[in-house]
Amino acid sequence: MDENIYNLNLDYLILAHALIQSGRKQQAMVSLGLTPEAVTILAKMPVDQLKALARSDVLSFAPRFPVNSWRTFLRNEPMVSEPFEQRALRLRMFLSKSGSQP
């Protein structure tokens, strides 16, 4: 089990669950790319099931970026090689920033 994938999945699922539980289903669908069926299923899932789903060893979501976001991210890439964990953390921070915009 890749811990980085688990953490990304869990963050995504917890955010989706929180949006749905707070009555922001439309925002969850638009911002996170959830289908109405996924919203219905996630609304009923307890945290233990979210954790089990996060352990699937594949991303539970497909990242969606506007073209200009990729260019911005790539411009900020250092020329030296950095450890995978550090790159994953930077990508998570980038994803959380781009997902918070209206």
Side-chain angles (χ1 to χ4, degrees):
M1 162 92 242
D2 186 320
E3 201 65 25
N4 291 312
I5 292 175
Y6 170 74
N7 288 329
L8 282 169
N9 281 340
L10 189 58
D11 288 349
Y12 172 82
L13 291 168
I14 287 173
L15 175 61
H17 193 260
L19 286 172
I20 294 164
Q21 294 300 318
S22 68
R24 296 184 289 174
K25 293 178 182 179
Q26 282 298 118
Q27 183 180 358
M29 288 191 289
V30 172
S31 299
L32 303 176
L34 295 172
T35 63
E37 296 82 11
V39 168
T40 301
I41 292 168
L42 286 171
K44 298 174 186 175
M45 279 188 152
V47 174
D48 290 342
Q49 283 184 327
L50 293 176
K51 288 180 180 179
L53 183 58
R55 290 205 180 279
S56 66
D57 215 18
V58 295
L59 285 178
S60 298
F61 61 96
R64 300 174 297 144
F65 301 104
V67 174
N68 63 335
S69 294
W70 272 114
R71 279 188 253 133
T72 301
F73 181 69
L74 292 173
R75 256 195 315 265
N76 293 329
E77 283 286 321
M79 295 305 289
V80 296
S81 180
E82 61 183 326
F84 174 77
E85 292 80 13
Q86 192 174 10
R87 287 180 53 114
L89 178 61
R90 286 183 353 96
L91 182 57
R92 284 180 69 193
M93 289 174 21
F94 176 77
L95 286 170
S96 67
K97 289 179 186 174
S98 65
S100 66
Q101 295 176 353

